[in-house]
Every structure is written in structure tokens, then in C-alpha cells.
Amino acid sequence: MLKDKCAIVTGAGKGIGKAIALRLADLGANIVINYRKSEKEAMELVEEIKTKGVCAIMVQADVSSFKECENLINTAMQRFGKIDILVNNAGITKDTLLLRMKEEDFDTVIQTNLKGTFNCIKHCSHVMLKQRFGKIINISSVIGLVGNAGQANYAASKAGIIGLTKSVAKELGSRGITVNAVAPGFIETDMTEALSDKLKNTLMDSIPLKRLGSPKDVANIVAFLASDDANYITGQVLNVDGGMVM
């Protein structure tokens, strides 16, 4: 379904990003794995993807850096000559109540999650405009829709991604470029593993499907949006949350 396509996945070393990279590779896409610190995991992922009969490279870049994002896009172009799919997944949290939140905690989360998404879209859009084709998929969060105590910085960054998604979708649509967002709910990752069983049970009580999501649940929606089946979908936010926000 994605044979010979080139896909960049930011923050792909582990968790949701890794699942997305593997799913796109399963469908035939060549993968550019972006990572910031997870070099070992990125190397292992490259080898795993290559066993699927597609190409994979890894590129270290901090998405909060405009210049490093430019290098990421340039490296992908040098290797594959095109960029069909951009998945902006890289993100961080620095949770604490607003009264305790340091200015740097707010700035760092916005710089990585929101500005990082802008940086990658900015550099990649030049390529996609020339191609007159592209799929941009931004990973937001249900927290960007409803907010959450102790996550003012994270919620602001993820809400910003939704606004950015809709604006860019309107700007680039006439050139055959779709831009959509995926808003995961509570997904089983390293972060949720640290939660107590009591808290997990409390969370599941708020989810109609009564379970946490898996990274594959998110990856499947990203794969759909990256495919030709979603060619007439743009500017949308798809919740992958088991019905938590409805």
C-alpha cells in the first residue's frame, strides 16, 4: 500500500514512534528514523525494519532546533530523493502544577512539541510543494482537547498542534498535500508503565472500552492517513482514545 514511499518519523526510537515506523515499513515504505537520545534503540529499529525488505536510515536531530530539522529533511532527500510522508511524533512532558511550573519547563515543552512540529513542516513543505504531493500527520493528544491538571504546558503544546494542523491543511491543500492530526488517549508506553495499578484502574473507568490503548492502535490510524485511502481527508483530528473524549 505504501510501496517505495519515503516516510520520516520523528521521535521514532521507542514507544508510539517506533510502532508507527514499523507499521509504515510493513506496508512497504522506506523509513527515516529520527531520534534525539535513543541511539541504541534507533540502531536496533533500523535493523528490524531492514528485515522487512525496505530501506531505513537513522538521523539524529533535536526537533526543537530549526537548523537540525533542516538537516533531517536534507538527509532524507539525499538518500531517497523525495519525502512522501512526514509523521511529527517527537514530544516530551514536564508535568507539574502551574504554581510550581518553572518558566523553562513551559518553554522546553512548547519548543519541542509545538515548535518542533512547525520546524519539520516548514522544511518538509518545500519538498512536498515541488512534488505536489505529501502526507503530513501530526501527533497531538486528547489532553490538547480537554486539558489536564498538572499539564498546562503539554496541553498548550498539543492544542497548538491542532491549530497548526488546520491552518497548514488550508494552506497546502491546493497542492495535493493533506495535513491531519491524531490525538491518542492513554496509551501503554514507558510513561504509563510507571503509573500505579490504582491510577490505571481509575483511568480505565473513564474509558468506555475499559482498556488502555496500544502503540499499534495509534500506528494503524497513522498508516491509514498516510495511505491513498485517506486522500480526501485533511485538516482533521482523529481521536484514538477508546471513547474517552466524546
Side-chain angles (χ1 to χ4, degrees):
M1 190 161 63
L2 298 177
K3 185 172 172 55
D4 296 326
K5 300 283 190 183
C6 171
I8 297 175
V9 183
T10 68
K14 51 188 176 180
I16 291 173
K18 177 181 179 180
I20 291 169
L22 288 170
R23 182 67 182 128
L24 297 181
D26 282 336
L27 296 173
N30 299 314
I31 310 295
V32 179
I33 296 162
N34 160 253
Y35 70 98
R36 183 171 65 99
K37 289 183 177 178
S38 306
E39 183 176 14
K40 179 175 177 289
E41 291 87 346
M43 289 176 67
E44 291 171 352
L45 182 56
V46 165
E47 294 308 312
E48 184 175 356
I49 287 174
K50 285 180 178 178
T51 66
K52 300 176 184 294
V54 298
C55 298
I57 63 170
M58 51 190 276
V59 183
Q60 195 280 332
D62 182 342
V63 296
S64 69
S65 165
F66 192 75
K67 195 71 180 172
E68 290 186 30
C69 286
E70 182 179 30
N71 179 64
L72 169 63
I73 301 304
N74 289 343
T75 302
M77 283 297 291
Q78 288 164 10
R79 176 61 180 84
F80 296 108
K82 62 176 184 172
I83 300 168
D84 301 290
I85 302 155
L86 169 65
V87 183
N88 287 302
N89 168 74
I92 62 169
T93 58
K94 286 186 177 292
D95 298 347
T96 190
L97 294 173
L98 181 69
L99 292 176
R100 297 176 187 160
M101 189 175 291
K102 298 174 183 176
E103 181 183 10
E104 64 195 62
D105 292 339
F106 188 88
D107 289 348
T108 303
V109 170
I110 295 291
Q111 197 74 14
T112 298
N113 298 3
L114 179 54
K115 179 72 172 4
T117 300
F118 164 81
N119 288 342
C120 289
I121 292 175
K122 171 73 173 176
H123 293 301
C124 196
S125 63
H126 296 295
V127 173
M128 291 182 171
L129 285 167
K130 287 181 181 177
Q131 296 173 169
R132 299 188 72 86
F133 174 83
K135 303 275 190 172
I136 299 173
I137 301 143
N138 302 320
I139 307 301
S140 179
S141 169
V142 295
I143 301 304
L145 294 167
V146 299
N148 194 31
Q151 289 192 301
N153 49 3
Y154 185 76
S157 71
K158 293 300 186 176
I161 286 173
I162 291 172
L164 178 64
T165 297
K166 292 177 179 291
S167 297
V168 177
K170 289 183 176 181
E171 289 187 26
L172 303 184
S174 64
R175 297 294 185 92
I177 301 167
T178 64
V179 189
N180 292 288
V182 174
F186 287 102
I187 307 297
E188 291 177 334
T189 63
D190 290 346
M191 284 190 284
T192 54
E193 275 184 23
L195 302 177
S196 67
D197 288 340
K198 182 179 179 181
L199 183 52
K200 284 183 183 178
N201 289 332
T202 301
L203 289 175
M204 283 189 275
D205 286 340
S206 69
I207 301 171
L209 291 185
K210 300 302 177 189
R211 68 174 178 87
L212 300 184
S214 75
K216 286 184 179 180
D217 291 323
V218 181
N220 287 336
I221 293 298
V222 171
F224 165 68
L225 291 173
S227 74
D228 288 344
D229 291 338
N231 280 352
Y232 202 56
I233 299 173
T234 196
Q236 302 305 305
V237 183
L238 276 68
N239 292 3
V240 186
D241 64 356
M244 190 179 80
V245 176
M246 66 168 77

